[in-house]
Amino acid sequence: MRNMKNKTKTYLLLSLFILLLLIGSGEKKYLKVHSAPAVEFIVENTFWGNPPNNVIVVNPGDTNVPLTIVIRNNSSETLRGVIGELSLPYPFKDYITESNVSKASGQPVESGDVLNQTGDILPSGSFTLTFQLNIDDDAKKGVYYANLTIYYNIEENGVFIPGEPQTVGIAIRLPNRSPVIYSVNPTAATLTVPVGQFVNFSCFANDPDGDNVTYEWTLDGDTVGYGQNYTYYATKDDVGSHTLIVEASDGNLSVTNSWTIIVVINPTTILQISTNYLYGGSANLITINITNNVWIGRVQVSLTVQQYLVIIGNSSWTINNVKPNDTISITAEIFAPEALIGQTMQVGLAVGYSDNYGNSYTENYAIGFVIRGKIVLRVYDIIVSPSVPKAGEKFSISGTILNVGNVKAMFTNVSLIPNPILKLDYESSSYVGDVDPNSPVPFTITAYIKPNTANDTYTINLLIKFTDDLYNEHNITLNISIQVVNYQSNQGGGNQSSGTSTFFTEGEIALIGIVIAVVAVGSIMYFRRRS
């Protein structure tokens, strides 16, 4: 303790001695006090990113993003050891310390003498300060002001001494951000819309900076609507491809979403099938007429059949030079085995075509056919008895029905069709019943020739009615020629048109003969008695 006091006294006495020497000299001397030198700094640029010009876009919530400040040494001095201390306002913090103060070292823009890479800041040269910052999640767009204090050393007579720290104002900008589209409807980017139909479009966007969002809809470059919703209606004039764009804007920046709309005429195909059944055990010709409202050029048609059915001949066709609404016709021959009778089988029809806009279509149809039995009735051995019936006489027609098909004809009935020369009764119709295949069935029916029928040859009609395996009723008409004789007409010398003929049956004639004979015998006996 005593030694420290002695040293302090020694320093004070030495200082006092030096001061006295200065005062006691012949000339007046003044003690000079040197202040720290200072230079001027000019802020040239501030941007988000790394030097020299790697600019980036930042957003609220970003972390460890670089903020670069470019500063000019506006003096004739060389600087070394430049440090920048940035006092940060909300919403910024230093990435490392998470405080409101961030530090960075100055990096020269100009390197000076290639052989003297000291990192000094040359006179009138520029340097950069890059700070690594975090941005708060709730930050809003705008300009934020901060103070930057620059610490440096200045060269003086070959020695670098601390310079006077300088504080400059810094403007930190958080840029405006474009709106963000959160949902669109429809979600598909490409839509096919038939003529006559409509599609509702919608878009919902939000601006991260809280700005008001407006919407504009353009179709093929023309503005067609505003607001969040737009309805597109497809007309015949719209057939083809179109681009619909919605733009959501905050007044400065915008974001878009687009759709491709393909308008088509909805194809309509009409089929006309010549029959809905196939005969089992037979080859069947079917005709299919096809009409379409949009096809043009080449049309390809093909048929496929289920197992056991057989296509005889062509199963595919190519038709050229087809125009919209043309009807094309194909004829196919299909064999159905007899074993399939009673079943329903399908024939597949494929139609391929293109429209006038390059759209291709392939359509497939399943055509159902009932496989049914075939009924073919033949009537033979027709006999008219008597062969030449007389007017007023009863006659009969007999014959045999043969079914040469493969299923029975049900509820078969044979009858005469009413005719002006015929008098029909209950025997003029005969119920035959079921006619099985290859089983002959005889029939006989009768009728009267009307008495006033003239001598001539007449055609009468025989009707055969039956029901098939689908309970559909069928009719067969046979024409039969008969020759009628009228004896009364012969006795009249052919003058039957001058009066009405009197007609007697055989029994009546016999009775008249007996009466005449009795009268004759009685007359003879009467005259003999008188003589």
Side-chain angles (χ1 to χ4, degrees), residues 271-447:
L271 302 180
Q272 292 179 322
I273 316 299
S274 58
T275 180
N276 60 357
Y277 57 83
L278 301 175
Y279 286 117
S282 301
N284 301 265
L285 287 177
I286 62 170
T287 299
I288 303 176
N289 294 325
I290 312 170
T291 306
N292 185 277
N293 61 327
V294 300
W295 60 15
I296 191 168
R298 177 177 297 178
V299 176
Q300 294 180 316
V301 181
S302 62
L303 289 179
T304 56
V305 294
Q306 277 186 278
Q307 188 179 14
Y308 305 121
L309 295 180
V310 178
I311 298 177
I312 302 172
N314 289 340
S315 62
S316 63
W317 299 263
T318 298
I319 302 94
N320 295 311
N321 302 319
V322 178
K323 299 185 293 297
N325 295 311
D326 276 357
T327 297
I328 62 175
S329 181
I330 64 169
T331 298
E333 188 173 10
I334 301 177
F335 175 80
E338 191 172 317
L340 297 178
I341 292 174
Q343 299 184 37
T344 298
M345 304 295 287
Q346 288 189 343
V347 173
L349 172 68
V351 183
Y353 60 92
S354 298
D355 63 18
N356 199 34
Y357 305 96
N359 300 310
S360 297
Y361 304 87
T362 299
E363 299 175 358
N364 294 284
Y365 301 91
I367 305 172
F369 289 94
V370 176
I371 310 301
R372 51 181 301 193
K374 195 170 188 179
I375 299 174
V376 180
L377 297 185
R378 299 281 189 263
V379 181
Y380 63 96
D381 291 344
I382 295 179
I383 298 175
V384 178
S385 180
S387 58
V388 181
K390 300 181 180 65
E393 184 179 58
K394 185 177 183 180
F395 72 101
S396 66
I397 300 175
S398 62
T400 301
I401 300 174
L402 178 63
N403 182 0
V404 295
N406 49 24
V407 292
K408 63 184 177 182
M410 299 183 295
F411 313 117
T412 306
N413 186 80
V414 182
S415 62
L416 281 168
I417 297 176
N419 189 289
I421 71 167
L422 298 179
K423 179 181 179 183
L424 305 180
D425 59 17
Y426 70 93
E427 293 183 337
S428 298
S429 178
S430 175
Y431 178 71
V432 177
D434 295 343
V435 180
D436 292 318
N438 301 316
S439 297
V441 177
F443 70 89
T444 299
I445 55 175
T446 63

Side-chain angles (χ1 to χ4, degrees), residues 12-160:
L12 290 174
L13 290 173
L14 181 60
S15 298
L16 182 60
F17 176 74
I18 293 172
L19 181 59
L20 290 173
L21 287 176
L22 292 173
I23 295 174
S25 63
E27 298 179 1
K28 288 187 177 181
K29 302 289 182 178
Y30 295 94
L31 182 64
K32 295 182 179 180
V33 179
H34 293 278
S35 62
V39 298
E40 181 183 13
F41 295 104
I42 299 176
V43 178
E44 293 187 326
N45 192 16
T46 301
F47 64 89
W48 292 100
N50 290 303
N53 56 3
N54 297 320
V55 179
I56 64 174
V57 176
V58 297
N59 293 288
D62 286 351
T63 60
N64 196 22
V65 289
L67 175 69
T68 296
I69 303 173
V70 182
I71 301 173
R72 182 170 294 279
N73 171 17
N74 193 33
S75 73
S76 59
E77 307 293 341
T78 298
L79 308 180
R80 181 177 292 178
V82 176
I83 300 294
E85 186 175 276
L86 186 62
S87 298
L88 296 168
Y90 175 85
F92 308 106
K93 286 186 178 181
D94 182 76
Y95 168 67
I96 297 176
T97 65
E98 295 187 355
S99 68
N100 293 329
V101 176
S102 185
K103 295 181 179 181
S105 298
Q107 301 297 322
V109 175
E110 301 85 9
S111 61
D113 188 350
V114 176
L115 299 178
N116 184 24
Q117 298 295 326
T118 61
D120 292 346
I121 311 301
L122 302 179
S124 298
S126 299
F127 62 94
T128 60
L129 295 168
T130 301
F131 303 90
Q132 298 300 127
L133 306 180
N134 293 342
I135 306 174
D136 191 82
D137 290 337
D138 296 328
K140 301 298 182 183
K141 69 175 181 178
V143 179
Y144 298 84
Y145 295 96
N147 289 325
L148 173 63
T149 301
I150 304 172
Y151 301 90
Y152 57 94
N153 295 308
I154 189 169
E155 183 183 15
E156 213 175 73
N157 298 324
V159 178
F160 283 88

Side-chain angles (χ1 to χ4, degrees), residues 445-465:
I445 55 175
T446 63
Y448 286 94
I449 303 294
K450 289 184 178 179
N452 59 347
T453 303
N455 293 323
D456 206 344
T457 300
Y458 298 91
T459 299
I460 61 176
N461 303 114
L462 194 66
L463 176 65
I464 302 175
K465 299 175 66 174

